[in-house]
Amino acid sequence: MKKKSKKVTGMLLAVTMMGGLLAGCGSSSDDSNNASSENNASSPKTVNGVDVSKEAKLVYYLWGAEGVANKDILAEINKKLKSDINAEIEVKYIDWPDISTKYPLLFASGESFDMSHTSPGAPISYFTLANQGALVDITDMLDKVAPKLKAEIPDSTWAATKVNGKIYGVPSLYSEFTPTGYAYRSDLLKKYGMTEISSIADMEKYMDNVVKNESFPPINGNADDAFNMFRMLVDTTGMWLNAPGINPSEINLVTKSPEDYKTVFDPAFTQEFEDWAVKMREWADKGYWPKDIMSSKVDAGTNFRAGNSAGYLTHAQDWIGKYGMDTKAQPNASLNFYTFAEANHKIKRKLGVENSTSISINSENPERSLMAIEKFMTDPSYYNLIQYGIGGRQYVIENGMKKTPANFDEKKDGGGFAAWSLRNDKYNLPMDTENPIRSSLNDKWNKEAINDPYTGFSFDPKNVSTELASISNVNQQLGMQIMLGRTKKDPKDAVAEYRKQLKTAGIDKVIAEVEKQLANFTPLAK
């Protein structure tokens, strides 16, 4: 395929608004023609009729930092890719603190690269990138270049990725729910004569007991917990759901219900928000978190593992994934999880498009990139390498479970890739570092989860980019202070000032623009 060199128009405007801001062994080559074995020095000439005689150097952008053993793992991956499709991958990393700025710039710069993680919830939405011509249309390419991948993913999952009838990303096949909640210590709960936390009232009772009986606070985090407090408000209030417009990592817009998805509003102008601001001041005054939370550099999860917190706010998958770390650090804690949205039956299922892999319009090798994606998602030997590392070094499999080898040395063997977009339930291994409750929770939530009514909608910010930047500044200052009860004024007076600043920043214009763009939108799934 001929290289397309194209900068994405309007992308730098988007960057501005982001300032407020992640079981097998053998190589399979049954979809290759004339492909050599892994140990053969020669490379295939064609794969599915595509000329691969010239080696392709693929650049793959992933989020996170590079682990000490990543180069070793990648070397094993590249041996297989060289043998199967005559390609090698170079992984480039965007570290977590830099995602909000460097990820948008990746597309705005016109840089020549091949693959990257994409998502509707990324700093630049998958749908925005597709609409702005930043991604390769792979609709027709799939049948020829990656037929096994095309067949592996259900039509309904492909449908959720379509933009104007075209496919611009490969969705994951991983069952996942990410509701926000509070991870708390069951040992302390038992100590206080409680059985569970299933409401804000229960959470308050637990935190009161912690303040009274322990030497550490219930939550010992940093300023980011302001947004967790806001998510708690949204998730526990009626059928409110996050709406598009303002970046979801901030204090964003909402709608009253999945059915009323075309009417959006800012919660700041509701009585519920004012009452919540009062509650947040009460929680702060009670000592539920330290007075220096706004300036702290350490998150509550880290403090929990150090024995300096009775719990932490996060999303379900983070809590599940940190089971091993939490248990090792606090073996008697027996963490449980209060899911804010569960009581109101508002847990949203994540569609595959929410973790996708896309090919840049500036890729010099789009077909080879798609072949590589197919290998990672349909061949367990590739899957294990990209997801778990080198067998015997980063992991071993015992009784069907992935475990850490006895001789594992974090300083020499640590690492791995944040390649969630390539996950496939078919090849995913249960892990001893992962909370075993994951499977039962997924089964439970899958029966009652709802679809996000905005999946497939891409808000174009160009008409309100100035207003969004101003709103972000207001949220980063006064909004965060309100959510952590740290305003100098009485909370009701602070909310009045917050509303005034939002009006001045242009909140009404933004809401009108969102509703205008939503007017003709129909959800992908009800």
Side-chain angles (χ1 to χ4, degrees):
M1 182 175 287
K2 189 176 181 180
K3 177 187 175 184
K4 299 177 184 177
S5 181
K6 182 176 178 182
K7 279 200 177 183
V8 184
T9 58
M11 200 64 71
L12 289 177
L13 277 177
V15 175
T16 301
M17 62 171 285
M18 290 300 152
L21 258 205
L22 195 178
C25 297
S27 169
S28 170
S29 44
D30 55 6
D31 60 343
S32 304
N33 293 328
N34 304 319
S36 62
S37 68
E38 184 175 345
N39 295 323
N40 194 323
S42 63
S43 298
K45 303 304 179 187
T46 62
V47 176
N48 290 331
V50 177
D51 182 0
V52 297
S53 57
K54 181 181 178 182
E55 183 183 49
K57 300 287 188 181
L58 308 177
V59 175
Y60 185 13
Y61 268 95
L62 287 173
W63 292 1
E66 182 177 17
V68 292
N70 279 25
K71 284 185 172 62
D72 294 343
I73 301 169
L74 190 59
E76 295 301 312
I77 291 172
N78 282 334
K79 287 179 187 177
K80 296 174 68 60
L81 287 173
K82 176 67 177 175
S83 172
D84 289 339
I85 63 172
N86 197 19
E88 290 188 352
I89 284 178
E90 175 190 0
V91 173
K92 293 187 177 182
Y93 303 88
I94 302 177
D95 207 356
W96 303 113
D98 303 322
I99 290 170
S100 63
T101 53
K102 290 186 177 180
Y103 183 78
L105 283 172
L106 175 63
F107 297 94
S109 67
E111 177 181 340
S112 179
F113 69 97
D114 298 282
M115 298 172 288
S116 73
H117 167 77
T118 50
S119 168
I124 296 291
S125 165
Y126 160 78
F127 296 105
T128 298
L129 291 170
N131 276 318
Q132 294 186 337
L135 308 176
V136 170
D137 173 5
I138 62 172
T139 313
D140 297 330
M141 196 192 307
L142 280 163
D143 289 314
K144 178 182 179 181
V145 173
K148 189 174 182 180
L149 179 65
K150 174 76 176 293
E152 184 85 5
I153 298 175
D155 290 342
S156 59
T157 305
W158 282 120
T161 73
K162 290 185 176 179
V163 180
N164 300 320
K166 300 294 185 179
I167 298 170
Y168 294 89
V170 178
S172 70
L173 285 170
Y174 182 72
S175 301
E176 185 176 25
F177 300 88
T178 57
T180 305
Y182 179 53
Y184 61 91
R185 290 178 54 167
S186 292
D187 64 323
L188 294 182
L189 200 73
K190 184 178 180 180
K191 175 182 176 181
Y192 308 143
M194 300 175 66
T195 56
E196 67 174 342
I197 296 178
S198 59
S199 67
I200 291 177
D202 291 340
M203 186 175 172
E204 286 180 306
K205 183 177 179 181
Y206 172 80
M207 293 194 293
D208 283 338
N209 276 304
V210 171
V211 170
K212 180 179 178 181
N213 296 288
E214 312 302 334
S215 61
F216 42 74
I219 299 169
N220 190 1
N222 56 26
D224 288 342
D225 278 329
F227 305 119
N228 288 318
M229 296 301 174
F230 175 75
R231 293 176 189 119
M232 196 191 312
L233 165 65
V234 173
D235 286 354
T236 58
T237 303
M239 286 306 294
W240 283 12
L241 292 177
N242 292 327
I246 297 175
N247 193 294
S249 66
E250 298 188 21
I251 299 175
N252 50 272
L253 302 177
V254 301
T255 187
K256 288 185 178 179
S257 71
E259 294 73 30
D260 192 18
Y261 64 91
K262 292 186 179 180
T263 302
V264 300
F265 59 95
D266 191 316
F269 296 88
T270 66
Q271 186 60 48
E272 290 90 343
F273 187 94
E274 183 176 298
D275 294 342
W276 190 253
V278 172
K279 183 182 288 290
M280 293 300 96
R281 172 61 66 83
E282 291 173 354
W283 284 15
D285 290 346
K286 285 183 176 182
Y288 287 178
W289 48 81
K291 293 181 179 180
D292 66 349
I293 191 169
M294 292 291 295
S295 59
S296 173
K297 302 299 182 184
V298 184
D299 65 88
T302 300
N303 275 322
F304 165 77
R305 286 180 282 279
N308 297 322
S309 180
Y312 59 93
L313 297 161
T314 187
H315 64 78
Q317 291 302 315
D318 182 64
W319 167 63
I320 289 169
K322 288 192 167 76
Y323 169 80
M325 294 172 58
D326 290 343
T327 302
K328 183 178 180 180
Q330 297 294 331
N332 298 319
S334 184
L335 275 183
N336 206 340
F337 195 69
Y338 162 42
T339 312
F340 305 143
E342 190 165 23
N344 291 0
H345 305 289
K346 295 195 300 183
I347 292 177
K348 292 181 287 189
R349 75 171 44 84
K350 288 181 75 71
L351 302 178
V353 68
E354 296 187 58
N355 281 311
S356 299
T357 307
S358 294
I359 301 171
S360 167
I361 197 68
N362 293 325
S363 168
E364 296 183 355
N365 296 283
E367 291 175 327
R368 217 79 64 89
S369 297
L370 189 56
M371 290 176 185
I373 295 169
E374 180 181 59
K375 288 294 184 185
F376 288 129
M377 292 191 69
T378 65
D379 184 326
S381 64
Y382 278 88
Y383 188 88
N384 286 352
L385 280 167
I386 194 71
Q387 298 297 338
Y388 309 125
I390 300 170
R393 182 175 174 188
Q394 274 78 40
Y395 74 98
V396 293
I397 301 174
E398 296 179 4
N399 299 319
M401 178 170 287
K402 172 191 162 295
K403 297 184 177 182
T404 303
N407 61 346
F408 178 83
D409 183 345
E410 182 67 41
K411 293 180 180 179
K412 295 188 299 183
D413 304 317
F417 304 95
W420 333 289
S421 300
L422 299 172
R423 288 183 297 187
N424 186 339
D425 282 341
K426 181 186 293 187
Y427 306 118
N428 209 61
L429 295 171
M431 298 181 283
D432 64 345
T433 58
E434 180 180 80
N435 197 318
I437 201 173
R438 177 183 179 270
S439 180
S440 58
L441 272 181
N442 276 3
D443 290 343
K444 175 186 176 184
W445 288 342
N446 198 43
K447 294 175 183 177
E448 58 190 45
I450 64 174
N451 292 322
D452 187 339
Y454 299 107
T455 299
F457 175 71
S458 176
F459 178 65
D460 185 349
K462 67 176 181 293
N463 291 334
V464 288
S465 58
T466 300
E467 288 77 12
L468 286 169
S470 297
I471 290 167
S472 178
N473 288 333
V474 174
N475 282 335
Q476 291 289 322
Q477 299 298 319
L478 187 52
M480 293 178 70
Q481 292 175 19
I482 290 172
M483 285 298 102
L484 290 174
R486 290 301 177 208
T487 58
K488 295 179 180 179
K489 296 181 178 180
D490 175 86
K492 291 186 178 182
D493 292 337
V495 169
E497 176 61 25
Y498 182 51
R499 290 169 176 171
K500 180 180 177 181
Q501 290 188 22
L502 286 172
K503 287 281 189 181
T504 301
I507 189 67
D508 292 334
K509 183 178 178 180
V510 171
I511 291 173
E513 183 66 23
V514 174
E515 291 186 336
K516 176 184 175 182
Q517 293 185 32
L518 277 171
N520 298 316
F521 170 72
T522 301
L524 290 169
K526 284 270 191 177

